Amino acid sequence: MKQSQTTIRGSHGDGRAGSLSFVARWAIVCGLLIVCLVFLLPIIWVGATSLKPTEQVLSSDQSILPRVTALDRLRQSAQQEEQAGMPGAADLALQVEMMEQEALARRRQISQLELERSATDNNQRRADLKQQIDQLRGQEHVYSYFSGEYWAGLWGFTKDNYAGVVETSQADFPLYLKNSLIIAILSVIGMVISSAIIAYGFSRVRWRGRNIIFGLVLATMMIPFPVLMAPLYLLFKQIGLIGTFLPLWLPSFFGGAFSIFLLRQFFMGIPRELDEAAMLDGCSHAGVFWRITLPLAKPALAVVALLQFIFCWNDFVGPLIFLNHEHQYTLALGLYMFQSQHGGTPWNLIMAASAMIIIPVLVLFLLFQRSLIEGIATQGVKE
């Protein structure tokens, strides 16, 4: 009897512990989702703003997702019929003009009520004014997020914003994309090849003083780039490279301190028996490096390539210093110039251009995230 009571009590205790662990697990999952959402908020804001029309971006009544009203859809239909040369385009345009005048009058009335509401201290008056503002806003017919009209209107906003960026006469983004790709690809090739060779020399070849030299290489990471800007500019000016792409990718062919450090640590995890066996079969250091070390170090090489690509893609200071002509601009520099040329700051177009710059990096990260995590987390093959 006592044993059965103990068993029942134990089963109740296990069930309570199980329910607690279930709650704890879901609490951890929810906490992690909230943290992820906080980190993703800037990207979500960029994406959502790039889909909005100018009126919504500049409006005081902000929403996270774009809103599509009956006036928006009617305006888009009128534009389509006008472009197609249909006979009813003039009537639609007149109807759009009337609705725009009504919407403008409504927005002015809302602005006056909001000013009055912010100026008064009477709580009852504030509540009445808020009710009037909500009623006026309710007169604007907004489509539901689950309706086909909403998605058709959203596609119209998207097309206008992204086409406005690509076709604008104030910035040549396709050319900036080409320049960024040329610089990033050459820089990645140079960084991977040179850093791998140098890291192999530090990790697999025994020579006197290599630890001291490696320490000096690591010490270069402590020097901030602003300290190097003036000497680098003078150096490249002396050899006549200012105004070309060479200062932006040529230094990568001499290695990077962090990439060398990362690859050296990875190479040191590869068993030396593999080198010795290969050398017994007649391989030189070059053969060992090419046939054994590099194939085993693919995750670390992927990390170096991805980090270098992201650095070059987002680099703003380098192109600003070394490039002179607009036709040489990269995406980061072109985006800044595009923003500075617009006095009114059309945030929807700027965010559309920013999204076009971010998307390639996100795609690369999604494609190589497994190699990236493996390369950072592992220390190579254990002896």
Side-chain angles (χ1 to χ4, degrees), residues 254-268:
F254 296 92
F258 179 75
S259 302
I260 293 169
F261 169 74
L262 184 71
L263 292 175
R264 175 186 177 270
Q265 298 306 108
F266 199 96
F267 291 168
M268 289 181 72

Side-chain angles (χ1 to χ4, degrees), residues 93-365:
L94 184 61
Q95 192 176 350
V96 167
E97 188 177 350
M98 292 173 60
M99 290 182 69
E100 284 178 341
Q101 290 177 356
E102 292 175 5
L104 182 61
R106 192 164 50 243
R107 283 199 293 271
R108 285 176 178 167
Q109 192 174 357
I110 289 174
S111 299
Q112 291 176 355
L113 292 174
E114 284 179 339
L115 286 174
E116 187 178 350
R117 182 168 175 261
S118 61
T120 183
D121 296 331
N122 189 329
N123 291 334
Q124 182 59 40
R125 180 61 179 159
R126 288 172 63 86
D128 293 341
L129 288 172
K130 185 176 184 309
Q131 188 177 4
Q132 291 180 34
I133 293 170
D134 291 341
Q135 285 176 353
L136 285 172
R137 283 178 176 157
Q139 293 176 9
E140 187 179 46
H141 181 62
V142 181
Y143 288 113
S144 165
Y145 294 133
F146 302 102
S147 66
E149 289 291 334
Y150 175 81
W151 292 104
L154 186 64
W155 169 245
F157 295 158
T158 308
K159 192 172 58 176
D160 291 343
N161 289 344
Y162 283 85
V165 171
V166 174
E167 297 171 359
T168 181
S169 60
Q170 296 174 333
D172 192 349
F173 278 98
L175 179 62
Y176 302 159
L177 173 66
K178 176 186 168 187
N179 294 339
S180 292
L181 282 175
I182 291 173
I183 294 170
I185 290 173
L186 289 174
S187 183
V188 166
I189 293 172
M191 183 60 70
V192 170
I193 294 175
S194 59
S195 297
I197 293 173
I198 297 169
Y200 181 84
F202 279 128
S203 60
R204 314 300 286 186
V205 183
R206 292 187 175 89
W207 48 283
R208 184 176 297 177
R210 67 174 183 173
N211 290 331
I212 297 174
I213 301 297
F214 181 65
L216 291 176
V217 171
L218 288 184
T220 60
M221 287 197 296
M222 312 301 168
I223 305 173
F225 183 71
V227 177
L228 302 174
M229 278 195 307
L232 282 176
Y233 181 83
L234 293 175
L235 174 65
F236 287 123
K237 186 179 179 183
Q238 287 292 326
I239 54 180
L241 298 183
I242 296 297
T244 68
F245 290 154
L246 283 168
L248 298 174
W249 60 264
L250 188 61
S252 65
F253 278 80
F254 296 92
F258 179 75
S259 302
I260 293 169
F261 169 74
L262 184 71
L263 292 175
R264 175 186 177 270
Q265 298 306 108
F266 199 96
F267 291 168
M268 289 181 72
I270 299 174
R272 286 191 174 275
E273 288 80 1
L274 295 176
D275 298 9
E276 293 169 0
M279 288 182 177
L280 284 176
D281 289 339
C283 255
S284 60
H285 273 298
V288 173
F289 172 72
W290 181 253
R291 296 178 183 175
I292 296 176
T293 307
L294 283 187
L296 291 175
K298 284 179 182 175
L301 296 174
V303 173
V304 171
L306 188 58
L307 293 180
Q308 183 65 19
F309 184 88
I310 293 172
F311 170 76
C312 291
W313 195 259
N314 297 326
D315 187 21
F316 171 75
V317 179
L320 182 66
I321 296 172
F322 300 124
L323 300 180
N324 293 333
H325 306 290
E326 187 175 348
H327 68 271
Q328 295 175 326
Y329 285 177
T330 59
L331 281 171
L333 190 56
L335 178 64
Y336 176 78
M337 296 301 173
F338 179 65
Q339 181 180 357
S340 62
Q341 287 173 359
H342 286 76
T345 313
W347 289 108
N348 51 337
L349 298 185
I350 292 171
M351 291 303 110
S354 302
M356 292 169 65
I357 295 174
I358 294 171
I359 286 172
V361 178
L362 287 179
V363 170
L364 271 180
F365 174 75

